Amino acid sequence: MRTQIVAGNWKMNKTFQEADDLVNELVEFIETNKAAHRAMIICPPALYLELATDMARDTELYVGAQNLSQFEKGAYTGEISAPMLASMEVEYSIIGHSERRKYFGENDEMLAAKVRMALKHKIDPIFCCGELLVERESGKHLDVVKSQLDNTVFKLDPVEFGNIMIAYEPVWAIGTGKNATPAQAQEMHAYIRKLISEKFNDQIADNTTILYGGSCNAANAKELFSNPDVDGGLIGGASLIAEDFIKIFQALK
Ligand code: PEP
């Protein structure tokens, strides 16, 4: 069975003390509720990654960044590099979140470079894709996602691609309280898996974890995750409260 995952994207939230409290609650839960084929990842703001990796060390809570630079080192003020993250024991990074695409001008070319940089330093990308509302309403959602994947992670070789996790996040569902229906999620996830199979092979497609993201919460997670091609979720708002995030974790297959 593919690993079923919930990943929490904290975005730009939490003070240091609040972050400490939340990690503490999650570590306490996960250490008493170990589950084969299920994993919990948190992606706190970069400033708290050291806190998180310290507290999560030797536990089954895993830590990811929300972003990384496409450059390896040098004169890039304010950026955080893949080798820096790797040296802090960060194992994952979200790459291509729609907020990075929208507010920070990240395009496919930059995202392809970020993916390569992450892999070079043994950081597993959680690669986000997803269409705008206007694209869904005009029936272009499948083509948009295909193009986002063709231009980035589908340029990798099969071995490299084996380290990629995909997060399908329809932009219209992120932070809006309007999640994709289970049928909409399943349609897209099955489509992405078919594309992976055509690009690489059936086995790689079968092994790839594809997360759903966009207003997933404790109330709707079970129904979303019950779809055969939905392997868990990338969770924004609902990952900020331990009780909610734990309930979402418990909704995994
Ligand atoms: C996200 O930002 O990746 C996300 C899914 O946000 P939310 O769960 O708040 O919609």
Side-chain angles (χ1 to χ4, degrees), residues 7-11 94 97-99 128 167-171 173-178 212-217 233-239:
N9 174 14
W10 294 11
K11 312 193 189 194
I94 298 171
H97 192 281
S98 63
E99 289 153 15
C128 301
Y168 168 57
E169 298 209 305
V171 180
I174 297 179
T176 59
K178 188 182 182 323
Y212 168 77
S215 298
C216 181
N217 57 38
L234 177 56
I235 316 297
S239 72

Side-chain angles (χ1 to χ4, degrees), residues 2-224:
R2 288 184 287 276
T3 309
Q4 306 290 299
I5 289 176
V6 289
N9 174 14
W10 294 11
K11 312 193 189 194
M12 197 172 72
N13 291 295
K14 301 284 180 194
T15 62
F16 182 78
Q17 189 54 54
E18 289 165 349
D20 187 283
D21 290 345
L22 180 50
V23 179
N24 211 7
E25 283 181 78
L26 296 176
V27 165
E28 224 170 78
F29 167 80
I30 209 78
E31 284 305 279
T32 46
N33 291 273
K34 296 191 180 176
H37 303 302
R38 289 180 176 178
M40 183 186 278
I41 302 172
I42 51 167
C43 302
L47 203 53
Y48 308 144
L49 285 169
E50 183 179 5
L51 166 90
T53 54
D54 272 351
M55 292 172 77
R57 188 173 298 115
D58 300 326
T59 76
E60 291 193 7
L61 179 68
Y62 302 95
V63 179
Q66 296 175 15
N67 177 37
L68 49 72
S69 173
Q70 68 267 45
F71 304 112
E72 198 153 32
K73 66 173 185 174
Y76 300 103
T77 302
E79 287 291 273
I80 293 175
S81 73
M84 290 175 189
L85 294 171
S87 74
M88 302 301 297
E89 303 170 49
V90 172
E91 294 176 88
Y92 298 91
S93 180
I94 298 171
I95 294 179
H97 192 281
S98 63
E99 289 153 15
R100 301 291 319 171
R101 294 177 194 252
K102 179 176 174 192
Y103 301 123
F104 303 98
E106 295 192 358
N107 57 31
D108 287 349
E109 198 185 333
M110 290 163 71
L111 297 177
K114 286 180 185 231
V115 166
R116 287 199 177 282
M117 192 55 75
L119 292 174
K120 181 173 176 192
H121 294 281
K122 308 257 178 296
I123 292 172
D124 289 349
I126 302 171
F127 186 82
C128 301
C129 57
E131 79 285 356
L132 303 171
L133 184 58
V134 57
E135 293 165 336
R136 175 161 284 268
E137 285 177 344
S138 55
K140 295 199 183 105
H141 49 294
L142 299 177
D143 291 344
V144 167
V145 167
K146 179 174 187 304
S147 156
Q148 289 171 339
L149 298 175
D150 277 342
N151 293 333
T152 55
V153 289
F154 283 0
K155 289 185 182 294
L156 299 170
D157 68 35
V159 173
E160 292 169 327
F161 187 84
N163 297 300
I164 302 289
M165 199 185 312
I166 304 284
Y168 168 57
E169 298 209 305
V171 180
W172 46 271
I174 297 179
T176 59
K178 188 182 182 323
N179 59 290
T181 64
Q184 286 172 325
Q186 171 57 24
E187 181 203 32
M188 183 61 86
H189 284 228
Y191 177 66
I192 292 171
R193 205 174 301 286
K194 179 170 88 71
L195 292 177
I196 297 170
S197 162
E198 285 165 4
K199 178 73 200 167
F200 300 104
N201 60 48
D202 282 352
Q203 198 195 345
I204 291 176
D206 218 43
N207 288 338
T208 302
T209 295
I210 307 177
L211 307 180
Y212 168 77
S215 298
C216 181
N217 57 38
N220 61 25
K222 190 135 199 116
E223 206 186 348
L224 284 161

